[in-house]
Amino acid sequence: MLTALTFIFMLTAAFAVLGFIAVSAMFLIWWERKVSAHIQSRFGPMRVGWHGVLQSIADAVKLLLKEDIRPARADKLIWWLAPFFAVVPSVMVFVAIPFGRTLVPRDLNIGILYIMAISSVCVIGVFMAGWGSNNKYSLLGGMRAGAQIISYELPLVLSIIAVVMRAGTPSMQKIVASQGSCWNIFHPDMMLVSVIYMISATAEVNRTPFDIPEAESELVAGFHTEYSGMKFAMFFVGEYTNLFIVAAIATTLFLGGWHGPILPPVVWFLIKTYALVFVWMWVRWTFPRVRVDQLMAFAWKVLTPAALVNLAIVGWLLLKR
Amino acid sequence: MAVIKSAEAQTRKQFERRRTERIPAAKFIHKLPGGGLILATSESILKWGKASSLWPMTFGLACCAFEMIAAGASRFDIDRFGAGVFRASPRQCDVMIVSGTICVKMGGCIRRLYAQMPEPKYVIAMGNCAVSGGIFYHDTYSVVKGTELLGIPVDVYIPGCPPRPENLLFGLMKLQEKIRNEKNAAR
Amino acid sequence: MKKMRQDEIFADIKAVFPEIQEEAGSGAAVIPKDLLLKVARYLRGEPLAFDNLHCVTAIDRKEKIEMVYILYSVSKRRALTLKIYLSPEDLNIASLASVWRSADWLERETYDMFGVVFSGHPDMRRILNPYDWKGYPLRKDYTHPEFIPKPRL
Amino acid sequence: MNMSQTKDIRTEEFLINMGPQHPSTHGVLFLEVKLDGEIVVDCTTHIGYLHRSMEKIAENRTYTQFIPFTDRIDYVASMNNNLGYVTAVEKLMNLEVPERAKYIRVIVAELNRIASHLIGIGTFAQDLGAFATPLFYCFREREKIIDIFDRICGNRLTYNYMRIGGVQFDLPKGIDETIKQFIAYMRPKLDDYDTLLTYNAIFLARSKGIGVLPKSLAIDYSVSGPNLRASGVRWDIRKEEPYLVYEKMEFDIPVGVNGDAWDRYKVRIEEMRQSLRIVEQALGALPEGDPTVKAGRIQKIAPGEAYMRTENPRGELGFYIVSDGSTYPYRLKIRAPSFSNLALLPELVKGLKVADIICVLGSLDILMGEIDR
């Protein structure tokens, strides 16, 4: 029953989440440039504010000012809609992510199912960008993105089902509650699942070694070759928000969400998430890129069978208990 | 050469138009009490944003390209100035660093690249060859003697053959300074 | 493996092709134009095994164009320079692209710079200058509107 | 959908221009690639976007005036170009070079070979997707070599250090100490590259067995340098026709096994180790004496011609100089190694994937300045 109070609560929760997304995207962009710089034994942004802290704001202001070019024979509607499909799903996913004991916008009882459904909408955005910009490189990038994300969706969902079976309910809060005593990752049968999740999540978010869709060296800039100004910024923000979401889901499912000894739950959740994000950044700046057919072979021939076998083991263990 | 001359006139016109960037409703805000102050601060913020996040295009022609990469590398890190994001597609970059000898066969491509860049765009002519043909000025039939001849308005000239990475960084700082004092028609 | 000296190689070739003379200055083998393909196939063959056409170029001697082929034998570690004199009027010669594959680009560059047409070449186009370039730049009598000569010392 | 059904689906080839401005074509190379999905059907190369008419300039410059131009032919290994040109002119004049100058030239050329190979490896890793990290590590090492050159001849990239008959300046005091420190610093770094890149699973998957160059094809295309040695041909001009003091140096030639992209990369790493050994020996045996040139700037050379090839980091760089007795060369032909190395790209790339074109191109380590002259 929609009373005035719940409406106000939802409104504040929405604005809080939007604010958090904007800030975290800005922070992640800055953090990635600093982490990659220090990996490469250089400094990264220094001159723009203390240690380049204001760098992301400067980038945002500049991208606001850029002229928004639409290629002549681009497919107008698809071209215009593509950035929204890349960003809006990743914002909608935040509804079900448990930041703290009570700090969750809306604890859906079908939590993880909702997240999986929404986050696979991003593929359409990438595909539309590839097709809409009427440029051969983006078309190739878009096709590759479609193939890659769909084929890595399978091991991702299978590994999540294993967790849901163990926790008994898809609701995120209850999954976190079930890990009160011991985090999922330390259960023997859950270790392989978490590895499978990590790998397929990297592919889901198009990060090296699976960043085929916007491979700098082959396709000039992949699916967002033709985008400039704010549209390109939307893709950029979408990519980093996806990265945060994937890390947040990983902490909720495997690292015990907001469980932690003394610090308040929200702080624990953020520490774990940003630690995982750091691992992904670390991977991005050290590994070369996998070729498209190797990527597909790896998904279908290695990850999916492993996820299925693991599912069987978890099921058998549950029956035995 | 006739083709290059007409391109030059057309880009000159574009060059002038870019200087007078309009802040919408500037006249109206100005009448409000304290409007001038708001306009001034917003104008300086916009210019600060433009200046401190100049994304160069990966566009190396000859020897200067390796000095540009060295400038981007660990020792002379150009990313300290916020300019380290080398975007490959011309749509997403603001600065075209013409680094190397411009040949006749490449002239058309450079003009097309310049045209593809979105509007607040700047050009740094790096190295003697991009400034004026350099040591390939005499006795060559296939070298365009300077970026200006392509009809591309150049913002910063960096002499040197090849200029040291510090020169490129100094040129970049000069460009940032130029952007900060750009005459924006806020009035 | 003892390296055969220049004159031993020369004696071998002279036995098969009597028309060959030895150029005074550089010790290169000068052959008439129509013999080129036969000599090339013989050099490529087993006894001499020149399997590497290292460099093809031309020199504009104003009254004749001198074609220079520098050949190497990687297996037998030997070197040989072939020269052919062409009169400036009929600048076409047999292409060696069928014998050595490196000839393809080298001959295209010689055509681009000197205008020597190689008959039988897979794709006879300019390689360095724009495809619609007029004139052959490395000719001594070549002029170009933007050509700014440097004052001679 | 069995084979018969797929036959009547009309598929069209997909033409992609990897145009003159592309992040990984090592400069201004234009590749027109015809794709069937991801597989390359045909690839034609268009070069000449950096054609600066070097040979026409050479005919209007005296022998000494042309030396700065040789720096800019292969602008990553300028010392080796100087060496090639200057030894060609000395062979034409059969001029004797002071012993110390020969040793200095060997040291400087080998250091520049290491710098050039570092760039070759860095860009190859970047083309395979390891974005910028290996490249910046290689540049960090290269900066150390460039500091040494900065002290020797005052410039970072185009040194103009060698003269006909010797070198421009003698080595500054204490430079051998810096070079020894560099050698000690560089050796463990090469092992780092092995751990970071050479035996990295993805790197192997991306480069093993790609762009295999058989021995006969390599010789037929007159490929030279690390690309030829990677195909198993033991051919190095420093051993075949030793010039300067290479016959006094003992170093071995790394030879690859099956000539694929990974072998070409591995040969370059081994060659860097050998070059370090050469520099060490040359530094140890550096004789006393005055390497600088006393002869006047304008030399009149008797009519004649000479062809001299030297082992450039990218292959055999040959200078064919014809003189007609005046102070200007009558004809100067530069035989660039990358020119022939690039000629076989279409042959290597047929049937591979789009990503492999860039991998093969990176492994050939070509340089547009040298190809277009």
Side-chain angles (χ1 to χ4, degrees), chain D residues 16-50:
Chain D
I16 257 196
N17 295 343
M18 287 197 178
Q21 188 261 338
H22 186 273
S24 54
T25 49
H26 295 255
V28 274
L29 165 70
F30 175 25
L31 291 176
E32 240 178 279
V33 184
K34 213 192 283 295
L35 291 178
D36 175 6
E38 282 278 333
I39 297 160
V40 177
V41 171
D42 171 26
C43 156
T44 56
T45 54
H46 301 272
I47 56 175
Y49 289 90
L50 195 58

Side-chain angles (χ1 to χ4, degrees), chain C residues 52 54 57 60 83 109 153, chain D residues 305 316 328 330-331 373:
Chain C
N52 182 346
H54 197 62
T57 188
D60 178 3
K83 283 206 172 174
E109 192 200 346
L153 234 47
Chain D
E305 56 182 60
E316 283 157 34
Y328 290 82
Y330 188 76
R331 168 80 169 102
R373 284 182 302 282

